[in-house]
Amino acid sequence: MGTLQIAGLGNLTVWLGFALALYTVGAALVAVQKRRPAMMASAENGIYAVAALTTLAVAIMEWAAITHQFRFEYIASHVSLDQPLLYTISSLWGGQEGSLLFWVWLLSLFAAIVTFQNRDQNRELMPYAIAFMAFTQGFFFLLLIVVAQPFKMLNFTPQDGQGLNPLLQNPGMFIHPITQYLGYVGFTVPFAFAMAALTTGRLSDAWIRTTRRWTLISWLFLSLGLLFGMRWAYVELGWGGYWGWDPVENASLIPWLTGTAYLHSVMIQEKRGMLKVWNLVLVMLTYILSILGTFLTRSGVVQSVHAFGTNSLLASIFLGYMAGVILLFLYLLYTRLGALREENEIDSVVSREATFLLNNLLLVGAAFATLWGTIFPMISELATGKQITVAAPFFNTVNGPIFFLLIVLMGVCTMIGWRRASVDNLVRNFLRPLLVSAVVVGGLFALGVREPLGLTAFGAAGFVSGTIMVEFFRAAGARMRQHGENPPTALAMLFVKNRRRYGGYVVHIGIVMAVVGIAGSTFFQADLQKNVRTGETIAIKQYTLRFDGLASYAEENHQVWAANLTVFENGAQIATLKPEKNYYPASEQSTTEIAVRSTAMEDLYLILAGSNDDGSVTIKAIVNPLISWLWIGFGVFMLGTLIAAWPDPREARVMQRIQMREAAVAAGR
């Protein structure tokens, strides 16, 4: 089969996928309306067939990339002969057309897994859940047909391609988009079940419990996407930080914030039958904001280092789809308001329910403040014809206090009682955590730390750590008294008996560690920029850097200029670091490759800012205290999420009881 025929096969998979997705929507709805099991089986087969077709489409695209089929317009734009294989593979999600194909492929796989998982359960919800997932597939297929054809061919074959954007040629950018998309796409599943629950009127906790693991795993992947994106920015962009409030960074943070709010608020619904409407709204927002994140990156309406150019038709279709989904959701919600009455009310503002609600409001507030700052340049351009950029100080000023309150609430929510907390309860639960906080702040002050915001952040971290330690000590102590267990066994049994609760506390420990890293690198960073000739030195804090010359050599697809710097700490030689400037001839672009020496206490971060005609080079040196704890904290955070998401037989039994109650209610109608 020739190249043109293979491209034709690729186009056929897209068209067939579109047709099958639409058929699946219709078949699933007819199956439930006409009570035809055969049609439902056909709809399920449609989901499996779309998964097979999109897999074939992705295989064709990867084949074209790896074998350098430059007649494919997409391959000619994102692959070159000298490009390393890793980045040739990742070119699939390195451009607009490929990334949209990647999106619908992941969604098709998820839809197939969900369909298979629920082949013998949730049969009342599945027709509508399948219909909504297939509807979303149809939307992305439409984009691939109308505005972003991945298998479009050139009328000639170039000798070589332009290659992937050099900024994307980093191991972090290989994995960052994958995790980001897994998070974005994954939130389609809980929202599909929410729509199914609204349509069928089965509005108990069943749809929440059914999708809890999907929600947690999607949230985990979105968190990983944030982590890898931050790490990529830290090592690739060469400015010494990891978060610049870039619009595409914000686009991933916003649904993460609403998803975090949702994960907390569902506990109130499960425990006390409250916040039912709020939870539906939150899962809708998280889904729509995930679509918005994809829209912001793919439409080019905002400027970013990893946006993919302007496409007004693409933007119009995205906006039309989001508006349609929101209107449909609001209509269904309106028709079910009577069935979504609260079973209880908040008894006191000093209670766990009230603090969880405040936590939710702060998370959603941070999400919308970030969204407003992100889309304001677009709005200002539409209104005035002039784009007004919103910079980091706006986001820091607005979100800084919100994030601080969220950290404090994380400790309060851990210890405060349900319904109404008494004064005795508050004193008993919070005295020791407050003492821990005071000891942390006092100790740092005694060591000479005077930065007020830094001390405040470390004090908050100490308070939250104290609440978690007290909670573990109490619970493990109770087990030791009741069951005669030794301390390690009692601690392990906490996780065995309640993975969700104690996995959540491990997540909080990870966040505390990340807060320490963020506070240290934000409030105590030191930097210096200086021109040096061979043999000259730079001094920053306890480090002395000696410039030993500039080396130039060729790598696989780029030319390298590396500054050789010998590093001394308190007079003793400890390392040789080589910050680089790289030039990529295929795309005629340069990148900065930083050099870092990391320890648990701080990073020494070096940038080759430039080379000068007189033989000197410009070196920027930054010392980032405690930043390693940001990355370690994320690792602990991931571990806690996995513990919380691990299957629990008790949850299965609770789910079984809820489904039996629902069936009994339905039978009595």
Side-chain angles (χ1 to χ4, degrees):
M1 189 180 285
T3 305
L4 289 175
Q5 288 77 19
I6 293 174
L9 179 61
N11 280 318
L12 185 62
T13 60
V14 173
W15 276 96
L16 278 178
F18 179 63
L20 266 175
L22 295 184
Y23 167 77
T24 302
V25 173
L29 296 179
V30 168
V32 71
Q33 294 297 324
K34 303 292 183 182
R35 298 181 182 277
R36 293 181 181 172
M39 284 298 288
M40 188 59 199
S42 181
E44 290 172 344
N45 288 335
I47 289 289
Y48 296 136
V50 171
L53 284 169
T54 52
T55 301
L56 177 59
V58 166
I60 291 172
M61 187 60 86
E62 287 293 4
W63 165 83
I66 292 169
T67 59
H68 301 132
Q69 302 297 323
F70 296 124
R71 186 80 185 271
F72 286 65
E73 185 176 297
Y74 184 82
I75 301 302
S77 301
H78 300 92
V79 176
S80 62
L81 291 171
D82 56 3
Q83 190 166 291
L85 178 62
L86 183 71
Y87 304 125
T88 297
I89 294 171
S90 67
S91 65
L92 174 65
W93 49 86
Q96 186 180 82
E97 298 85 353
S99 63
L100 291 173
L101 175 62
F102 189 57
W103 214 106
V104 74
W105 178 52
L106 292 178
L107 177 58
S108 300
L109 294 180
F110 284 5
I113 294 169
V114 170
T115 302
F116 185 75
Q117 278 181 331
N118 291 275
R119 62 193 183 283
D120 297 320
Q121 58 182 350
N122 295 312
R123 300 310 295 168
E124 297 78 15
L125 299 178
M126 281 309 293
Y128 297 103
I130 283 178
F132 185 78
M133 288 187 289
F135 178 67
T136 308
Q137 289 172 342
F139 161 66
F140 277 94
F141 278 123
L142 181 66
L143 294 175
L144 294 175
I145 291 170
V146 177
V147 289
Q149 300 94 339
F151 300 104
K152 191 175 180 181
M153 300 295 281
L154 297 169
N155 56 14
F156 67 101
T157 305
Q159 293 298 310
D160 198 357
Q162 297 174 19
L164 194 65
N165 183 337
L167 285 174
L168 305 183
Q169 296 187 36
N170 177 279
M173 282 308 283
F174 181 82
I175 192 69
H176 161 62
I178 296 176
T179 50
Q180 188 82 43
Y181 279 39
L182 286 168
Y184 277 161
V185 178
F187 276 111
T188 306
V189 176
F191 183 57
F193 275 84
M195 293 292 273
L198 281 171
T199 308
T200 59
R202 290 176 175 267
L203 294 162
S204 69
D205 300 345
W207 73 271
I208 291 176
R209 294 179 186 275
T210 296
T211 58
R212 192 180 80 82
R213 197 151 290 110
W214 276 99
T215 306
L216 266 176
I217 296 301
S218 303
W219 184 72
L220 171 64
F221 278 119
L222 206 51
S223 307
L224 282 170
L226 287 168
L227 168 65
F228 291 127
M230 290 161 66
R231 186 66 190 173
W232 167 77
Y234 187 63
V235 302
E236 188 64 32
L237 296 185
W239 57 281
Y242 42 83
W243 191 267
W245 298 105
D246 177 272
V248 176
E249 289 177 337
N250 297 347
S252 57
L253 176 65
I254 294 166
W256 185 87
L257 290 168
T258 55
T260 305
Y262 172 72
L263 282 170
H264 286 82
S265 65
V266 292
M267 288 188 273
I268 303 298
Q269 180 170 342
E270 292 170 6
K271 185 82 175 178
R272 303 221 44 213
M274 300 163 59
L275 305 181
K276 294 178 181 176
V277 173
W278 178 246
N279 284 328
L280 286 162
V281 170
L282 279 180
V283 77
M284 180 276 290
L285 280 177
T286 305
Y287 169 76
I288 286 294
L289 291 170
S290 295
I291 296 290
L292 180 69
T294 309
F295 159 69
L296 290 175
T297 314
R298 272 73 208 160
S299 66
V301 296
V302 296
Q303 298 299 312
S304 166
V305 292
H306 30 7
F308 293 148
T310 304
N311 190 321
S312 57
L313 179 57
L314 189 80
S316 302
I317 297 175
F318 257 109
L319 291 174
Y321 173 78
M322 288 189 285
V325 171
I326 292 171
L327 287 174
L328 176 60
F329 169 81
L330 292 176
Y331 168 74
L332 291 173
L333 185 64
Y334 176 74
T335 61
R336 298 296 182 187
L337 280 179
L340 289 166
R341 285 189 296 273
E342 304 286 65
E343 297 169 23
N344 291 291
E345 294 181 349
I346 292 178
D347 298 321
S348 167
V349 294
V350 189
S351 64
R352 185 168 295 190
E353 298 92 316
T355 53
F356 265 59
L357 182 59
L358 180 57
N359 155 289
N360 263 233
L361 294 175
L362 289 171
L363 284 165
V364 174
F368 277 91
T370 307
L371 177 63
W372 175 248
T374 303
I375 65 174
F376 185 77
M378 183 175 62
I379 294 172
S380 67
E381 189 170 19
L382 287 173
T384 66
K386 185 178 179 182
Q387 193 172 88
I388 301 173
T389 303
V390 178
F394 165 80
F395 294 103
N396 290 334
T397 302
V398 174
N399 285 334
I402 293 178
F403 288 150
F404 171 74
L405 287 174
L406 282 169
I407 296 300
V408 174
L409 271 179
M410 200 164 66
V412 174
C413 290
T414 301
M415 302 297 289
I416 199 167
W418 291 96
R419 293 177 179 271
R420 186 187 300 275
S422 64
V423 174
D424 285 346
N425 171 279
L426 295 176
V427 172
R428 187 172 64 251
N429 288 335
F430 293 110
L431 181 59
R432 280 174 284 188
L434 286 171
L435 286 174
V436 172
S437 176
V439 168
V440 169
V441 173
L444 290 172
F445 192 86
L447 291 171
V449 177
R450 296 291 186 272
E451 167 58 46
L453 293 177
L455 286 172
T456 304
F458 287 129
F463 170 70
V464 178
S465 302
T467 61
I468 298 171
M469 284 190 292
V470 168
E471 176 64 20
F472 272 106
F473 276 122
R474 277 186 187 170
R479 286 202 64 86
M480 290 166 64
R481 288 191 297 276
Q482 292 174 11
H483 303 283
E485 295 168 345
N486 59 43
T489 303
L491 193 60
M493 289 306 293
L494 294 179
F495 290 95
V496 173
K497 293 296 182 182
N498 199 338
R499 299 185 185 105
R500 183 177 180 180
R501 179 175 183 174
Y502 291 96
Y505 290 152
V506 174
V507 170
H508 287 182
I509 292 170
I511 292 175
V512 169
M513 295 167 81
V515 167
V516 169
I518 292 169
S521 58
T522 300
F523 300 118
F524 303 99
Q525 185 186 75
D527 65 86
L528 177 69
Q529 183 165 313
K530 185 178 178 182
N531 290 347
V532 285
R533 296 173 183 275
T534 302
E536 293 182 340
T537 60
I538 303 170
I540 178 168
K541 296 189 73 174
Q542 74 272 30
Y543 298 106
T544 301
L545 315 173
R546 188 184 68 212
F547 175 52
D548 293 331
L550 188 67
S552 177
Y553 51 91
E555 287 285 359
E556 195 169 0
N557 64 340
H558 59 274
Q559 185 70 26
V560 178
W561 285 267
N564 292 307
L565 291 158
T566 302
V567 181
F568 301 87
E569 183 176 16
N570 297 321
Q573 183 175 335
I574 56 170
T576 300
L577 297 179
K578 298 179 180 180
E580 301 173 358
K581 282 283 188 189
N582 294 343
Y583 177 72
Y584 292 77
S587 58
E588 299 182 347
Q589 292 186 55
S590 296
T591 63
T592 298
E593 303 295 331
I594 56 96
V596 183
R597 181 178 184 274
S598 295
T599 68
M601 292 305 296
E602 62 192 14
D603 275 11
L604 175 62
Y605 184 102
L606 303 179
I607 307 160
L608 176 57
S611 57
N612 308 309
D613 294 337
D614 60 1
S616 65
V617 295
T618 304
I619 299 294
K620 183 169 185 179
I622 301 173
V623 176
N624 276 326
L626 300 174
I627 195 168
S628 292
W629 293 99
L630 172 59
W631 319 122
I632 295 169
F634 259 95
V636 175
F637 177 100
M638 302 307 158
L639 175 64
T641 308
L642 289 174
I643 291 171
W646 201 259
D648 187 338
R650 294 188 314 162
E651 289 183 17
R653 290 193 289 272
V654 171
M655 184 68 185
Q656 200 172 22
R657 286 198 295 272
I658 292 172
Q659 288 176 329
M660 289 173 64
R661 271 202 310 269
E662 271 196 340
V665 171
R669 283 175 183 166

